[in-house]
């Protein structure tokens, strides 16, 4: 997982692409944010802000990166970018389809100078297909992919917005995975460079395997009517006496039997996954009464360490403060000592992580250009022309 020899030119902004390049930075890649002189990444200024007046989201997913500013609409800025791309390993862009080609920095422009480039385009609906030109955000992609329909208990409820922007995050993850796969293939000698067309809608759809298999078989999975969307009372969310919630996921008979024994309800064992809707409702009502008899902390103390498949419903703040998650490397501290959500895996070696703060817009422009072989006179001329800028 050691990507310290890999240079990524990151043209992305807001959440999807920057999350993907943050994963690459956590693996050691040198990620260079290429931002416009007039504002840069919009997420820098999005509320709420954190110390340093950065948007909280921007600060979270841009740590350890460098930033340069380039006016890609100018001849000098475009040529500067192409010179950088000649030496880079990865170009990652998130514009609407066709924009990079109009700017003269698309895949064909770059591969002409660097045949080994891995070029990733991340967009809402992909570079092809009837929806390629559509604008959208996370909610749109999740809706098209069928996820929003499945967020409700049954069809009598209106669909809900997912708690996390799953399309954005899935797009970032699949981009990072595809980039690493292309780099590995290149290094193994199986191929040179590659072009990667990643769609956030496709990424969300790929998460639908549990219900997608039913749909492909000719069925029409409906919310609340599959074993993972609330059909059975053994897989549901229950309220406790203090208005909090716990999750129950005792799908396997042995865990259901353990639960029934732990709550002194042996008569429920044979009703585990009944085909009778009235029986399922009776079991669900009985479990609701049971779990409302104690508060969440009491149930955690009583059942948390038993093999019954229950868990707390944490708030995001509680999750960050959870002793188990604190014990994992996914939560660490940044250079200012604040908690940071890091790479979501522990590995023996090759994961460098990032602790330095997010870069100021254009803060490393001169340093990066010098590292890529630009003479000082060239750098001065670029600054004077306005093709590049600093913080």
């Amino acid at each position: 997982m050691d990507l310290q020899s890999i240079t990524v030119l990151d043209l992305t902004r807001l959440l999807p692409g920057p999350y993907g390049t943050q994963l690459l930075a956590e693996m050691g890649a040198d990620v260079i944010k290429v931002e416009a002189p007039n504002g840069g990444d919009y997420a820098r200024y999005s509320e709420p802000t954190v110390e340093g007046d950065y948007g909280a989201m921007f600060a979270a997913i841009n740590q350890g990166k460098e930033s340069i500013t380039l006016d890609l609409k100018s001849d000098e800025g475009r040529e500067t970018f192409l010179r950088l791309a000649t030496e880079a390993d990865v170009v990652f862009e998130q514009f609407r389809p066709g924009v990079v080609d109009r700017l003269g920095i698309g895949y064909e422009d770059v591969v002409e100078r660097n045949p080994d480039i891995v070029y990733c385009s991340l967009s809402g609906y992909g570079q092809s297909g009837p929806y390629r030109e559509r604008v959208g955000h996370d909610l749109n992609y999740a809706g098209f992919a069928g996820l929003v329909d499945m967020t409700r208990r049954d069809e009598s409820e209106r669909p809900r917005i997912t708690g996390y922007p799953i399309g954005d995050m899935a797009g970032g993850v699949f981009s990072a995975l595809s980039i690493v796969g292309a780099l590995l293939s290149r290094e193994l000698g199986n191929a040179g460079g590659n072009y990667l067309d990643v769609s956030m809608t496709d990424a969300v759809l790929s998460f639908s395997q549990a219900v997608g298999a039913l749909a492909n078989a000719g069925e029409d999975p409906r919310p609340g009517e599959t074993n993972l969307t609330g059909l059975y009372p053994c897989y549901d969310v229950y309220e406790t006496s203090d208005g909090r919630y716990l999750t129950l996921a005792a799908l396997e008979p042995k865990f259901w039997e353990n639960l029934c024994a732990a709550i002194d309800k042996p008569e429920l064992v044979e009703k585990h996954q009944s085909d009778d809707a009235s029986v399922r409702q009776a079991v669900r009502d009985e479990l609701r009464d049971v779990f409302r008899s104690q508060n969440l902390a009491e149930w955690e103390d009583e059942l948390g360490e038993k093999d019954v498949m229950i868990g707390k419903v944490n708030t995001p703040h509680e999750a960050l403060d959870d002793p188990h998650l604190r014990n994992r490397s996914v939560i660490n501290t940044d250079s200012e000592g604040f908690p940071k959500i890091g790479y979501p895996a522990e590995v023996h070696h090759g994961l460098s992580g990032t602790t330095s703060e997010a870069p100021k817009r254009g803060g490393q422009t001169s340093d990066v250009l010098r590292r890529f072989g630009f003479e000082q006179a060239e750098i001065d001329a670029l600054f004077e022309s306005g093709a590049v800028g600093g913080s």
Side-chain angles (χ1 to χ4, degrees), residues 50-51 63 326 331-341:
V50 293
E51 195 165 324
Q63 295 189 4
R326 283 280 182 175
I331 298 177
N332 46 60
T333 55
D334 63 17
S335 58
E336 302 298 323
F338 295 107
K340 172 185 177 295
I341 302 173

Side-chain angles (χ1 to χ4, degrees), residues 124 141-147 166-167 170-171 174 199-213 215-216:
Y141 315 140
F144 269 109
L147 173 61
I166 193 70
F174 276 87
S199 155
M200 286 177 257
T201 303
D202 293 353
V204 178
L205 185 65
S206 74
F207 287 168
S208 74
Q209 305 294 353
V211 293
N216 282 330

Side-chain angles (χ1 to χ4, degrees), residues 231-235 238 248-257 259-260 266-276 279-280 283-284 287:
L231 174 63
Y232 298 118
C234 64
Y235 195 88
Y238 292 94
L248 173 65
L251 287 171
E252 296 87 349
K254 68 176 182 178
F255 296 120
W256 177 248
E257 292 169 10
L259 174 73
C260 293
E267 69 276 11
L268 298 183
V269 170
E270 63 182 19
K271 303 173 182 178
H272 182 207
Q273 294 183 6
S274 174
D275 293 331
D276 189 324
V279 172
R280 294 197 302 271
V283 172
R284 185 171 276 113
L287 289 178

Side-chain angles (χ1 to χ4, degrees), residues 77-144:
R78 178 174 58 256
E79 180 59 30
T80 298
F81 178 83
L82 291 173
R83 281 182 63 179
L84 297 177
T86 301
E87 302 296 327
D89 298 282
V90 177
V91 170
F92 188 0
E93 64 94 3
Q94 192 189 304
F95 295 107
R96 291 178 67 178
V99 170
V100 287
D101 296 320
R102 291 195 294 272
L103 289 172
I105 58 169
Y107 174 66
E108 296 300 332
D109 301 295
V110 173
V111 77
E112 186 175 305
R113 302 200 184 196
N114 183 354
D116 291 328
I117 197 71
V118 172
Y119 196 111
C120 181
S121 293
L122 173 62
S123 61
Y125 303 103
Q127 304 295 308
S128 61
Y131 301 154
R132 66 185 294 270
E133 295 287 353
R134 287 196 181 192
V135 295
H137 273 307
D138 180 87
L139 183 59
N140 306 117
Y141 315 140
F144 269 109

Side-chain angles (χ1 to χ4, degrees), residues 167-371:
D168 288 351
M169 308 310 283
V173 168
F174 276 87
S175 295
L177 174 64
S178 300
I179 288 169
V180 170
L183 289 171
L184 177 60
S185 182
R186 188 185 75 180
E187 296 307 308
L188 290 174
N190 297 330
N194 208 338
Y195 179 71
L196 313 171
D197 170 9
V198 181
S199 155
M200 286 177 257
T201 303
D202 293 353
V204 178
L205 185 65
S206 74
F207 287 168
S208 74
Q209 305 294 353
V211 293
L214 298 175
N216 282 330
E219 299 183 33
D220 186 18
R222 305 312 304 131
E225 295 182 9
T226 71
N227 61 347
L228 297 181
T229 60
L231 174 63
Y232 298 118
C234 64
Y235 195 88
D236 209 340
V237 178
Y238 292 94
E239 187 176 6
T240 57
S241 65
D242 54 346
R244 299 296 304 276
Y245 294 89
L246 59 78
T247 56
L248 173 65
L251 287 171
E252 296 87 349
K254 68 176 182 178
F255 296 120
W256 177 248
E257 292 169 10
N258 291 344
L259 174 73
C260 293
I263 62 175
D264 195 23
K265 294 288 182 180
E267 69 276 11
L268 298 183
V269 170
E270 63 182 19
K271 303 173 182 178
H272 182 207
Q273 294 183 6
S274 174
D275 293 331
D276 189 324
S278 63
V279 172
R280 294 197 302 271
Q281 187 59 50
V283 172
R284 185 171 276 113
D285 290 342
E286 194 155 358
L287 289 178
R288 283 172 178 164
D289 290 340
V290 168
F291 288 123
R292 282 176 179 154
S293 68
Q294 294 189 129
N295 65 40
L296 182 61
E298 290 170 331
W299 282 120
E300 174 65 18
D301 288 341
E302 184 173 333
L303 300 179
E305 299 304 319
K306 294 182 178 179
D307 286 350
V308 298
M309 290 284 188
I310 67 111
K312 299 179 291 183
V313 174
N314 282 326
T315 66
H317 185 273
E318 288 170 336
L320 286 171
D321 202 40
D322 189 278
H324 172 79
L325 295 174
R326 283 280 182 175
N327 186 260
R328 301 280 296 171
S329 60
V330 67
I331 298 177
N332 46 60
T333 55
D334 63 17
S335 58
E336 302 298 323
F338 295 107
K340 172 185 177 295
I341 302 173
Y343 195 85
E346 293 189 357
V347 301
H348 285 179
H349 56 82
L351 191 65
S352 63
T354 56
T355 56
S356 60
E357 63 183 21
K360 293 182 178 180
R361 182 171 58 87
Q364 291 76 42
T365 300
S366 294
D367 292 341
V368 168
L369 293 177
R370 276 193 291 269
R371 198 163 72 238

Side-chain angles (χ1 to χ4, degrees), residues 139 143 146-162 222-223:
L139 183 59
L147 173 61
V148 176
D149 178 57
M150 300 298 285
T151 59
R152 45 193 171 154
R153 177 171 290 280
D154 56 50
E155 290 186 292
S156 67
E157 293 185 346
R158 69 188 288 270
R160 304 178 185 184
I161 299 173
T162 58
R222 305 312 304 131

